[in-house]
Amino acid sequence: MTQLDSRPGPGAAVDRRRPARVRTLWILAALAALVLIMIASVAFGSRIVGWADIVAGVRGQTDTLAQAAVVKRIPRTFLAVAVGAALGLAGAVMQGVTRNPLADPGILGVNMGASLAVVTGIVSFGLASAAGYIWVAILGAAVAAVFVYAVGSLGRGGATPLKLALAGAAISAALASLISAFVLPRSDIATGFQSWMIGGVGGASYDSLRLVLPFLAVGFAVSLLSAKALNSLALGDDLAAGLGERVAVTRGVAALGAVLLCGASTAVAGPIAFVGLVVPHFCRLLVGLDHRWLLPFSALIGAALLTAADVVGRVVARPQEIDVGIITALIGAPFFIYFVRRQKVREL
Amino acid sequence: MTATHSLLVSSLRLGYGDRTVIESLDLTLPPGKITAIVGANACGKSTLLRSMSRLLAPRAGHVLLDGREVHKMPAKELARTLGLLPQSPVAPEGITVSDLVGRGRNPHQRLLSRWSREDDAAVAAALDATHTADLADRSVDELSGGQRQRVWIAMALAQQTDLLLLDEPTTFLDVSHQVEVLDLLTDLNRNRGTTIVMVLHDLNMAARYADHLIALADGKLHAAGEPSAVLTEDCVRAVFGLDSQVITDPTSGKPLMLPLGRHHVAITRP
Ligand SMILES: Nc1ncnc2c1ncn2[C@@H]1O[C@H](COP(=O)(O)OP(=O)(O)OP(=O)(O)O)[C@@H](O)[C@H]1O
Ligand SMILES: [Mg+2]
């Protein structure tokens, strides 16, 4: 990652060290919090487990039910971290690409596009391999992203924040009904789909992790490398072009990074909403608007938030589990309403 | 930093959708000089500036920088030579002054390069030149219109280009800040040889500060040349549809335009 240098330049009137130091502190704090949450995610669950079993489980023993439960929590934790980071980062990139504070993989219908594509693949084409799900989900996410952006740009003023969010919400609703129409007649798969559609990481295994990680890695790389370009895009298309960015190409590449992240995470964890909306706003308060800091920080906080939400979902309704998609919606919906109600929804 | 570049426009036609805004325009912008473009609202000044910085592709004709077609040059290479400050740019909510000015360094940075000493020096010099150094940590949202305008100019200066196009850089500024900005641009021109092309609405400021004055009317060139040759009563009438009296500024020797409204008829005319 590139970052601001801490050396003072000759005659530098601005002390660039102070903000850089504050940002570094926040990043370290977020890392520490993430590690603690990951430990909690292995330690706590719908089954109450003693420390001895936790330690044994982490070592790989599965002699008791408690140890087996702990063993299953490990890939689940990693998946929550990966998906949370992907969604937080994707949200920050989408907000940067569209210069829209309401952009989010859920609100813009991208996750729902991925879901519909997977459902269609399974129901109509007998798609059965998990790797196939991922490709199809990414394709669906890309189509939905382009379609929502095109619809949101129709009419006067181009893609304003509210129009884009409305187009996303409308298309999401339409896609969700299509999914129901596909799934409901199929009693053999309906139950499994219901929990997948809510969004959760409970079904995690090392196999699913291994499949999805390459896609996420490419998505991460493309997104993080777009940071500088997003900084220029934030000043408006004219200035960005004046600063030497090829605006359309840059937009497309950054959006592709976000679509990879959304498609891949939806394929393994279902359409989880609001993480991508809330996380970047929170991060901007702490590390500012420079995408070179904002993007990695959003990934960190996204990972922490989703993992924490998953832990909460496992412990509040023991012995039942609440899927993480419900918890993030409970956190995110009030935030979304607050945001839309703010008098002016300005372009970023 | 003293390289001079030739920028010229030949048989240029520009438009949006099915509307043509500029019809077959030929212009040469004298290298190393200050050029001011004047004209009525909506006559195509911003459109011309956007096209010269490759934001708008020509319908016909060319924009040539040192003989090369601007629209075919690599984006970053062009951005290291030619900078543009658009009319009324919008800053992202909550951005700080130093962050905004630092973004002017984009064309000098590679994908993975770190923030360098040159970047620091360029930003510091730009802040100093525009008297915005003490605003560096403030949020741009909290600034007055004039302060904000100076910050945008600082961003354009941080880009360190040999050619600088500015669309109405003095709008929002009180008269002393207008003079300050124009003096600053003049310094830049005299000390570094930066070629300056700016759109101005104040004809008298344009006449005083520009070496070369271009008057556009309805997307066509009305007149171009020395301010004293261009800024005449006939020109003001043709370009703005306004009666005026043009006298010689006793301080600068440049033409000075006094508008005559319907209620103020000239008592004596030379
Ligand atoms: N993006 C656009 N799409 C369509 N038409 C445009 C666009 N931008 C400008 N125009 C039209 O082109 C014409 C010239 O506009 P331009 O902005 O170049 O005028 P201007 O000379 O800069 O005016 P002003 O002094 O008010 O800034 C106007 O009629 C305007 O409505
Ligand atoms: Mg204009």
Side-chain angles (χ1 to χ4, degrees):
Chain A
M1 236 5 261
T2 58
Q3 34 189 263
L4 293 179
D5 199 333
S6 55
R7 284 172 304 168
V14 212
D15 184 3
R16 286 186 165 272
R17 277 174 294 180
R18 196 179 50 81
R21 199 174 289 148
V22 171
R23 288 161 168 166
T24 312
L25 278 179
W26 278 120
I27 297 251
L28 291 177
L31 263 175
L34 178 60
V35 170
L36 288 179
I37 291 170
M38 287 173 73
I39 293 172
S41 168
V42 174
F44 304 112
S46 49
R47 172 186 289 273
I48 297 174
V49 182
W51 276 108
D53 283 327
I54 293 173
V55 173
V58 170
R59 291 214 179 107
Q61 281 166 259
T62 51
D63 302 338
T64 67
L65 275 178
Q67 287 171 4
V70 171
V71 167
K72 281 189 70 179
R73 286 178 199 160
I74 298 172
R76 177 177 190 155
T77 302
F78 283 124
L79 188 67
V81 168
V83 168
L87 293 175
L89 177 57
V93 170
M94 287 173 125
Q95 291 175 8
V97 165
T98 57
R99 297 208 291 139
N100 183 337
L102 297 181
D104 162 83
I107 292 171
L108 292 193
V110 176
N111 287 352
M112 211 49 90
S115 306
L116 177 63
V118 172
V119 170
T120 315
I122 294 172
V123 173
S124 308
F125 302 103
L127 185 70
S129 79
Y133 293 171
I134 298 179
W135 283 111
V136 169
I138 288 170
L139 189 71
V143 172
V146 171
F147 189 61
V148 169
Y149 195 77
V151 171
S153 311
L154 289 177
R156 284 187 169 273
T160 61
L162 222 48
K163 267 165 64 185
L164 213 52
L166 286 176
I171 289 168
S172 276
L175 294 178
S177 342
L178 272 178
I179 293 174
S180 303
F182 268 122
V183 173
L184 284 182
R186 296 281 303 268
S187 53
D188 51 328
I189 52 174
T191 327
F193 264 123
Q194 255 167 18
S195 78
W196 180 72
M197 279 301 295
I198 292 169
V201 290
S205 69
Y206 285 111
D207 284 339
S208 58
L209 260 178
R210 209 170 294 129
L211 275 173
V212 80
L213 277 183
F215 293 93
L216 291 182
V218 175
F220 273 106
V222 172
S223 300
L224 292 174
L225 287 175
S226 303
K228 229 175 231 181
L230 291 180
N231 276 347
S232 297
L233 278 186
L235 305 178
D237 286 5
D238 278 8
L239 260 172
L243 290 172
E245 290 304 335
R246 286 174 300 163
V247 173
V249 176
T250 314
R251 267 229 166 87
V253 170
L256 182 72
V259 160
L260 277 173
L261 294 172
C262 298
S265 47
T266 301
V268 287
I272 297 175
F274 294 113
V275 175
L277 173 72
V278 178
V279 165
H281 287 289
F282 174 70
C283 294
R284 265 185 217 103
L285 294 178
L286 299 184
V287 299
L289 276 71
D290 186 340
H291 284 88
R292 290 170 300 175
W293 290 86
L294 181 64
L295 296 188
F297 198 64
S298 293
L300 262 180
I301 297 293
L305 176 68
L306 195 76
T307 315
D310 185 43
V311 177
V312 170
R314 277 183 270 159
V315 298
V316 288
R318 279 177 179 145
Q320 301 292 315
E321 287 189 5
I322 299 178
D323 277 317
V324 67
I326 294 177
I327 306 284
T328 59
L330 287 177
I331 302 172
F335 183 84
F336 178 70
I337 293 167
Y338 160 77
F339 230 90
V340 177
R341 282 186 55 98
R342 272 203 339 177
Q343 288 230 309
K344 48 174 189 176
V345 177
R346 251 181 65 169
E347 290 189 339
L348 279 176
Chain B
M1 286 304 292
T2 49
T4 49
H5 299 271
S6 79
L7 183 62
L8 67 86
V9 155
S10 76
S11 343
L12 188 67
R13 187 162 80 227
L14 301 172
Y16 302 94
D18 48 9
R19 278 193 43 222
T20 300
V21 176
I22 284 185
E23 188 78 69
S24 186
L25 186 67
D26 292 283
L27 279 182
T28 306
L29 299 154
K33 297 269 195 274
I34 299 180
T35 299
I37 301 176
V38 299
N41 284 140
C43 74
K45 304 178 297 293
S46 299
T47 304
L48 173 64
L49 235 55
R50 296 183 72 229
S51 178
M52 289 198 291
S53 46
R54 79 173 264 161
L55 301 187
L56 184 67
R59 291 279 166 81
H62 314 276
V63 179
L64 298 173
L65 175 64
D66 298 331
R68 294 167 69 194
E69 191 125 17
V70 159
H71 291 85
K72 292 183 181 148
M73 284 176 72
K76 281 212 171 172
E77 185 189 337
L78 179 67
R80 284 192 292 267
T81 311
L82 185 151
L84 169 74
L85 182 59
Q87 188 175 1
S88 52
V90 182
E93 197 174 350
I95 195 170
T96 61
V97 169
S98 59
D99 188 355
L100 182 67
V101 175
R103 291 187 189 189
R105 299 300 296 161
N106 186 61
H108 299 274
Q109 295 168 334
R110 286 159 184 272
L111 192 58
L112 286 173
S113 65
R114 288 165 64 88
W115 187 263
S116 71
R117 273 168 198 280
E118 292 87 74
D119 292 335
D120 254 337
V123 169
L127 290 173
D128 278 341
T130 50
H131 303 292
T132 47
D134 45 341
L135 305 177
D137 288 328
R138 298 265 300 273
S139 163
V140 175
D141 300 325
E142 317 169 335
L143 303 180
S144 77
Q147 289 173 320
R148 208 172 298 161
Q149 187 67 16
R150 282 185 285 146
V151 168
W152 282 111
I153 293 174
M155 196 212 74
L157 294 188
Q159 203 175 334
Q160 292 190 323
T161 54
D162 293 330
L163 268 150
L164 192 52
L165 313 186
L166 306 106
D167 200 346
E168 301 188 20
T170 53
T171 318
F172 299 124
L173 300 184
D174 67 37
V175 66
S176 83
H177 280 119
Q178 285 183 32
V179 168
E180 198 174 295
V181 163
L182 293 170
D183 279 346
L184 161 73
L185 295 174
T186 309
D187 288 341
L188 205 64
N189 170 260
R190 303 278 187 270
N191 302 339
R192 291 210 213 145
T194 307
T195 305
I196 306 237
V197 179
M198 57 188 171
V199 173
L200 286 182
H201 273 303
D202 187 322
L203 297 182
N204 293 329
M205 290 289 187
R208 181 178 283 204
Y209 280 92
D211 305 306
H212 189 78
L213 194 60
I214 293 174
L216 292 183
D218 266 339
K220 291 186 211 50
L221 182 66
H222 179 77
E226 292 255 319
S228 52
V230 174
L231 185 55
T232 60
E233 289 165 12
D234 288 340
C235 171
V236 175
R237 193 173 303 115
V239 172
F240 295 97
L242 176 75
D243 284 330
S244 67
Q245 188 177 354
V246 174
I247 59 173
T248 301
D249 179 351
T251 334
S252 63
K254 299 283 174 80
L256 190 64
M257 191 277 296
L258 308 171
L260 302 173
R262 283 183 291 111
H263 302 286
H264 305 278
V265 186
I267 300 167
T268 53
R269 303 198 66 169

